[in-house]
Amino acid sequence: MKEHTVHLFDGELSHLHYLVLEMAGLVIDQLDTVMTSLDEGEVSIAEKVVARDREVNEYELKIDAEVLSILAKRSPVANDLRKVISISKIVVDLERIGDETVRIAKLIIDMFDPQTSDPNPQLLRDIVRMGTMARGMLRKATDAFDTGNLDDAYVLIRGDWDCGQEFQDGIRRQLTFVLQDARLIGRALDILQIMKALERCGNHCINIAEFMIFMVEGKDIRHRH
């Protein structure tokens, strides 16, 4: 009976693991899609990102329900408890990356409105650069969760990819464009909002890496590195 119960518990943890991977895959696809909509200037693609946000939210609710069920039925301890708690935290960051992606999509819809002229490609370069960085960070965080190998997590923690610094550099470049042509200020402000959303995506990826380290090694390094 004890072996049967443990087997069921392992199955529940595995199911929880795969649900998080499915959610992460959806969020990765959302971020990829929104960057494609920017690259192609296609409002219809950005609108699909907004519409699919409901799926991201549904995953969060489903995983939360699984977490509560495991806590209530199994009363996990030690490594198992750390895993369940860490997953509950990781899911919050994934959902927030989804929210930032939707925010970006709505800004793109406004930027490429048929009633207005398309933004200057020079202004968009900072978004493309930060978008590539944020997508890479999210993939590394997801790989770390999938395999339990913390090498990718520590790469994120070390700050090899610094979205914050890239955002500051982008602000300076956008201000340079505006000083050269004041008519660009409206577009520059939209672009800065998108860059800020991408910076937040990077920060959430670092949060996921921190929770991975806690889950595997039992070390809480939040606010310490």
Side-chain angles (χ1 to χ4, degrees):
M1 187 64 165
K2 182 178 180 181
E3 291 180 359
H4 178 65
T5 302
V6 170
H7 180 70
L8 287 175
F9 185 25
D10 288 342
E12 290 169 356
L13 289 176
S14 295
H15 179 61
L16 191 60
H17 182 90
Y18 287 121
L19 281 177
V20 176
L21 287 179
E22 287 178 1
M23 182 180 183
L26 176 58
V27 174
I28 288 172
D29 189 57
Q30 284 281 82
L31 191 52
D32 286 343
T33 302
V34 82
M35 294 308 298
T36 298
S37 73
L38 176 72
D39 184 53
E40 299 180 5
E42 281 291 338
V43 169
S44 60
I45 298 176
E47 288 172 340
K48 291 178 182 177
V49 172
V50 176
R52 283 207 305 175
D53 186 51
R54 179 178 298 177
E55 295 179 37
V56 177
N57 294 336
E58 287 174 353
Y59 264 110
E60 182 188 25
L61 294 174
K62 186 186 299 184
I63 293 169
D64 282 349
E66 290 284 337
V67 166
L68 289 174
S69 175
I70 289 174
L71 290 174
K73 292 192 304 181
R74 306 299 182 190
S75 300
V77 295
N79 294 346
D80 292 333
L81 179 59
R82 285 207 314 270
K83 181 170 185 174
V84 173
I85 295 299
S86 297
I87 284 175
S88 71
K89 300 284 190 178
I90 287 169
V91 166
V92 172
D93 281 296
L94 286 174
E95 194 275 334
R96 287 177 180 170
I97 293 173
D99 287 345
E100 296 298 339
T101 304
V102 170
R103 185 172 289 109
I104 294 168
K106 290 179 178 178
L107 286 164
I108 290 172
I109 291 169
D110 290 339
M111 286 172 57
F112 289 97
D113 189 300
Q115 305 295 328
T116 63
S117 59
D118 289 347
N120 186 327
Q122 284 187 314
L123 293 175
L124 300 179
R125 289 175 184 169
D126 288 314
I127 298 178
V128 174
R129 190 179 296 108
M130 287 194 68
T132 300
M133 185 179 294
R135 291 155 78 181
M137 293 177 75
L138 182 54
R139 281 184 166 84
K140 277 198 174 295
T142 301
D143 288 344
F145 178 81
D146 185 22
T147 64
N149 186 331
L150 296 183
D151 290 346
D152 287 334
Y154 277 110
V155 166
L156 295 175
I157 296 299
R158 287 198 307 267
D160 292 5
W161 293 343
D162 191 347
C163 277
Q165 184 59 53
E166 191 63 39
F167 177 62
Q168 295 300 321
D169 294 342
I171 290 175
R172 287 191 288 271
R173 285 189 288 267
Q174 294 298 318
L175 287 176
T176 300
F177 287 128
V178 170
L179 290 173
Q180 293 172 351
D181 187 349
R183 293 172 298 178
L184 297 176
I185 189 168
R187 292 296 194 196
L189 289 173
D190 288 338
I191 288 167
L192 287 174
Q193 289 185 71
I194 293 175
M195 289 168 59
K196 186 63 180 177
L198 288 169
E199 183 201 21
R200 292 192 190 103
C201 289
N203 290 338
H204 289 306
C205 291
I206 292 172
N207 291 346
I208 292 171
E210 291 173 345
F211 291 126
M212 275 303 306
I213 291 168
F214 174 70
M215 183 170 76
V216 176
E217 297 183 341
K219 295 191 298 187
D220 187 353
I221 63 170
R222 292 175 296 171
H223 316 300
R224 297 180 186 177
H225 56 84

